[in-house]
């Protein structure tokens, strides 16, 4: 299971920080990527990026300049930082596990709503 | 920038068959893109339906099937039920650890 956590409200120009806690398995298994997907209100899904347990990261080119995904294997967690946020970053943020071999998102968190507003 | 295309909305009659498609703004979708499909109802996280083009995820009814039709990936629902009314998203693996989602299809069962 995956569980997102973090502030539900972030001010414009600040940094959005979320964590995802992995339970029921090891983040270091090597069989999975760990990543983030978001969904603005009334819109579709947008892939943000993934991280492999080794620390190798992969980002959406359109967000790459503002995104950092990191992993803490000791806590079985991975995290998302998104800098210089604007109202356009308001969304439900999902963490997800992606199969390394079959290239799809096989486990999803329930999602957490983040609103960017002063 | 790669754009993955889906029909914005599709309708189907109860017990009918419907096919949703997933294409590329430039080029053809093949199995090399490992097409996957996700179902989402309002307020819920996406649910994985199909991966690697045509493999059903655990617990997914066999009325859902995936394929390549022409130059697109396709999700076919055979014998549509009322609770199939949802948003459906495809995702394509672009390689190098990168995915792109389609814009989603809103399926109405009426």
């Amino acid at each position: 299971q995956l569980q997102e956590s973090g502030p539900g409200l972030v001010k414009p120009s600040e940094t959005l920080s979320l964590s995802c806690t992995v339970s029921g398995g090891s983040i270091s298994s090597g069989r999975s990527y760990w990543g983030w997907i978001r969904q603005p209100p009334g819109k579709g899904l947008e892939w943000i990026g993934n991280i492999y347990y080794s620390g190798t990261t992969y980002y959406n080119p359109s967000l790459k300049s503002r995104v950092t995904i990191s992993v803490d294997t000791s806590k079985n967690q991975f995290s998302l930082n998104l800098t210089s946020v604007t109202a356009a970053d308001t969304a439900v943020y999902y963490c997800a596990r992606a199969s390394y071999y079959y290239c799809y998102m096989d486990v999803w968190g329930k999602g957490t709503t983040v609103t960017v507003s002063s | 920038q790669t754009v993955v295309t889906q029909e914005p909305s599709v309708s189907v009659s109860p017990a009918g068959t419907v096919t949703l498609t997933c294409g590329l703004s430039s080029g053809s979708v093949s199995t090399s893109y490992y097409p996957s499909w996700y179902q989402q109802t309002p307020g819920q996280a996406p649910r994985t339906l199909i991966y690697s083009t045509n493999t059903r995820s655990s617990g997914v009814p066999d009325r859902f099937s995936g394929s390549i039709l022409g130059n697109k990936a396709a999700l076919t629902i055979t014998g549509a039920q009322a609770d199939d009314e949802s948003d459906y998203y495809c995702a394509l693996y672009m390689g190098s650890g990168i995915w792109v989602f389609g814009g989603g299809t809103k399926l109405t069962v009426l």
Side-chain angles (χ1 to χ4, degrees):
Chain A
Q1 288 186 344
L2 305 177
Q3 179 64 59
E4 304 89 351
S5 60
L9 181 64
V10 181
K11 289 182 169 53
S13 81
E14 295 190 345
T15 297
L16 179 160
S17 296
L18 297 174
S19 293
C20 182
T21 300
V22 179
S23 59
S26 172
I27 203 168
S28 303
S29 70
R31 294 190 297 271
S32 303
Y33 296 101
W34 306 92
W36 294 93
I37 295 107
R38 70 180 183 178
Q39 185 171 34
K43 296 188 177 181
L45 301 172
E46 180 180 32
W47 180 78
I48 299 171
N50 285 345
I51 190 166
Y52 195 54
Y53 80 97
S54 62
T56 303
T57 52
Y58 312 85
Y59 298 134
N60 184 326
S62 68
L63 297 170
K64 188 174 184 177
S65 63
R66 298 194 294 129
V67 172
T68 302
I69 297 176
S70 58
V71 64
D72 186 336
T73 55
S74 67
K75 294 182 179 179
N76 229 30
Q77 283 183 345
F78 61 102
S79 299
L80 169 70
N81 275 4
L82 181 65
T83 62
S84 304
V85 297
T86 68
D89 295 309
T90 293
V92 176
Y93 285 76
Y94 297 99
C95 60
R97 186 183 78 180
S99 168
Y100 181 83
Y101 296 110
Y102 298 106
C103 304
Y104 75 108
M105 274 59 81
D106 60 355
V107 179
W108 296 73
K110 293 182 178 181
T112 187
T113 299
V114 178
T115 301
V116 177
S117 175
S118 55
Chain B
Q1 181 83 351
T2 300
V3 176
V4 176
T5 61
Q6 295 185 248
E7 300 87 358
S9 63
V10 174
S11 61
V12 63
S13 300
T17 296
V18 64
T19 297
L20 312 182
T21 67
C22 175
L24 283 170
S25 55
S26 177
S28 299
V29 177
S30 67
T31 57
S32 299
Y33 286 93
Y34 295 86
S36 53
W37 292 89
Y38 307 88
Q39 178 191 48
Q40 187 182 37
T41 53
Q44 299 297 312
R47 169 198 181 197
T48 305
L49 294 177
I50 300 286
Y51 64 94
S52 293
T53 304
N54 56 12
T55 303
R56 275 185 298 275
S57 189
S58 177
V60 174
D62 60 6
R63 65 177 185 275
F64 292 92
S65 62
S67 64
I68 299 290
L69 286 181
N71 62 351
K72 296 182 179 181
L75 173 71
T76 299
I77 306 173
T78 304
Q81 300 180 0
D83 61 2
D84 294 336
E85 188 162 291
S86 302
D87 294 327
Y88 291 85
Y89 294 92
C90 69
L92 300 180
Y93 180 66
M94 310 308 290
S96 302
I98 294 175
W99 275 265
V100 180
F101 281 97
T105 296
K106 182 177 183 62
L107 179 67
T108 301
V109 181
L110 47 70

